Amino acid sequence: MSNVTRRALRVYAALNELKGRENDDVLDALIPFFEPILTVMDGKVFDPHVFSAGVRRLYRWRFTGDIAATFIPRLERRGILKKQARTAGGAIYTVHYSEKPVEASPALLAAFEKIIDEFEKFPPKVTDLLSYQKSRDELKDILIRFLVMMDAPGQGAFAPQLGDLEPGNAALEVIGALEEGGHPLEPNDRYMCARFVQHLMKKRPEFVPHLTRLSSIGLLAEVVEDFLKPTHVETKTDLTVILDAPIALDYLGCSGKALKDDIATIVSALKDVGASFIVLPASCVEMQHNLKSMLSLPPELRRGYTHNAMLRKEVGADFVRAVMNQPETALSSAGITVRQISLESHHYAHKYFTQEQFNDFFESITWGNNINAREHDATCATIVMRLREGRQSSDVFKTRYVLVTRNPAFVRHARNYCLQSRMITSLQEGPIVHARELATTAWLRTGLGASETIPRGHLIATCDRVLQVRPEVRNALAAQLAIVTPDRIEQLNLLMQDARSVQKLADETLNNESVVTADNAEHLLNVMREATAEELRKKHEAELQKLKEENAAAEEAYKAASRSDSERASSQLDRLTTEVALLQQRNANAEALASSQVRGVVASVNRRAKTIEIVVGGVLISLGLAGLWNVYSGALRDNPVWGAILLAFGAVGFVRVFFALLERPMPALATALNWYCRRTVSRQLSQLGLGDASGALTYKGGRIVQH
């Protein structure tokens, strides 16, 4: 077991000792990390700069002599430092490190060994393309470092910056006795650890508390980054936290469940002590731009957290478009206010970050290739400093305003610029903080009020970020397929729209594009296609197995009931038979009633049709008699009405001759009566709730025929 692993487990034990003891400083739990330095300094005068250099060598923390000096009271309280003399420059201490550190319990060690047992068996479940072979001790070290560091590029306690200069030659002998450590994990190791942690959280929940407690050490380490942040419990604050555009999208759920739960837990914990959360209009524009840029691309070329969340069906495309169109409305519905502040607002506060400083800061930004994104970051940093109105503090809860982001370069650059411009001192909080620092703040400063929810959520979110498929992997596979089998590019594009296929591609390559070659390109495409089929097969088999188990249980229950209570079963059968007979009789009566109602409606409509036919026949006979009378008397010869009647009959006669010459039937009164009967009977049956019965009727010769 490596020293890093051993010390991390000791910190775990120290955290367990502190749990529930309100008077202990939670930072005391970090002292086991300093054991190697205190050991080599034993018997020597305590020099904070030598001590800090040792910490940097071991862990790459940005640990300065000033930070080391703040640990003196803690070390003195533990009896590790003893005061020897007091001078004008301060007290002189010597190191007396002889205490036996708190060791991890046998139960924890046994649980950790079981976790490593699972880790040894895990790599073949992820990839059959790569040979991921590590010794047991290497797996222990890799997993501990991932959990403790929350290791991701450019983030975490193991940052590349070393703080102040290394000590002179007088201290090199002491520092030289320490191991070099703190190197970031290799990408393959980081991916495998994240995948394994994700696997344990789903399949082995009994190990989750151990993972969470180890990951909480990473949040403690955040406190000693750059400068020692306050750790006392806060009961009330007027802090306003401004969410950066990507963080706001996380909170709305556009980046997936893990990231939403992570930031939502932090927001809830800080709101409990009075913090408020807002978004700037510039960030709303940035949210729109980010979503629009993603949605405008073909599905196979999209990338980012939102696209991956859409693939996993954790967020719908309609919701994403709604957020894109109206981010202010979406944020308001989620309880986040959009504060209408711009660079033109609060003229009286411009002196705290002038227009010239804004221009200078904007020109100094080097990350990203989008001028709008750089302008957004410069705008946010400027507004935060203006809103503070010169009120700076080493305690983020007393700075009034701070912006939270996931961009570590933005955090460092904004802080360095404010330091160089003498807007803040080296011990004061910059205008921008990382989401990891916000998580630490919410965890520690609310009295661990969210218990282990925040470390657990932050660990899940970290794994989710590590496992996001990199577009470079897809591009590398597409490039190789274009050389080997160009006709299969379309298959790749379709598979990239399925979450299971995308995850399989990342697993097979450990999210490393350099693994993709012309030799394995077709294999990767095949396993992506099989991933979807395998998922569906497993789902079908699970459903089939469940159905078999339910059938077997029902059959067994039936047999048991038959054996134990056959008489009751027989009685129930008789009762059911009687009920069935009664239902059949009721059904027959209902059918008879319905049939009677149909017959009544049919008879009524037929009577109306007959009446209409008689009336029309009577009218025609009357017109014939009138015409015969006119022949002999000539009384109607100049009557215009009679002329119109004759003209109409002449037209009818012409049409009938025309149809006769074509040898085609001419529609007449019977056809009209058929239409009338069909319409009338359908309406009346519908009113009686018997609309389906009209389909069994036929219409002939102006009457309804019922079968």
Side-chain angles (χ1 to χ4, degrees), residues 680-691:
T680 304
V681 78
S682 176
R683 183 179 69 253
Q684 292 186 6
L685 289 177
S686 296
Q687 292 173 349
L688 294 172
L690 301 172

Side-chain angles (χ1 to χ4, degrees), residues 452-645:
E452 294 182 344
T453 305
I454 289 178
R456 183 178 186 275
H458 200 61
L459 176 59
I460 293 173
T462 298
C463 292
D464 187 74
R465 284 192 291 270
V466 171
L467 296 175
Q468 296 284 334
V469 65
R470 300 174 62 248
E472 291 83 359
V473 178
R474 180 266 169 200
N475 295 340
L477 180 55
Q480 294 298 337
L481 287 175
I483 298 173
V484 181
T485 53
D487 56 314
R488 303 188 71 180
I489 292 291
E490 187 60 34
Q491 291 185 37
L492 174 64
N493 291 339
L494 292 173
L495 290 172
M496 288 302 296
Q497 300 176 46
D498 179 80
R500 293 174 291 263
S501 299
V502 170
Q503 183 67 67
K504 189 61 179 177
L505 174 62
D507 285 349
E508 284 290 310
T509 61
L510 298 185
N511 225 4
N512 187 344
E513 68 275 12
S514 64
V515 172
V516 182
T517 65
D519 295 332
N520 60 34
E522 287 195 70
H523 169 74
L524 289 172
L525 190 65
N526 289 334
V527 296
M528 289 176 67
R529 187 176 63 250
E530 292 168 1
T532 301
E534 179 67 13
E535 186 75 15
L536 295 175
R537 183 185 65 79
K538 288 181 179 179
K539 183 178 180 181
H540 173 71
E541 289 180 351
E543 292 175 349
L544 185 62
Q545 182 62 29
K546 182 180 179 181
L547 183 61
K548 288 180 179 178
E549 292 174 356
E550 290 176 351
N551 288 339
E555 185 177 352
E556 184 61 31
Y558 174 75
K559 290 180 180 179
S562 298
R563 288 193 301 267
S564 64
D565 202 354
S566 58
E567 291 183 0
R568 186 176 63 182
S570 176
S571 175
Q572 289 178 345
L573 181 61
D574 292 340
R575 180 175 57 80
L576 290 174
T577 302
T578 303
E579 290 180 358
V580 168
L582 182 60
L583 289 174
Q584 289 176 341
Q585 182 61 41
R586 289 177 180 174
N587 186 54
N589 293 340
E591 289 181 354
L593 177 61
S595 178
S596 175
Q597 289 176 325
V598 171
R599 287 195 300 271
V601 170
V602 168
S604 174
V605 174
N606 278 341
R607 283 195 298 271
R608 293 182 189 177
K610 184 176 180 180
T611 301
I612 292 172
E613 189 177 52
I614 292 173
V615 170
V616 172
V619 170
L620 292 176
I621 291 173
S622 299
L623 290 175
L625 293 175
L628 185 63
W629 178 64
N630 183 54
V631 170
Y632 292 103
S633 65
L636 301 174
R637 186 173 304 155
D638 298 325
N639 191 310
V641 175
W642 178 251
I645 292 173

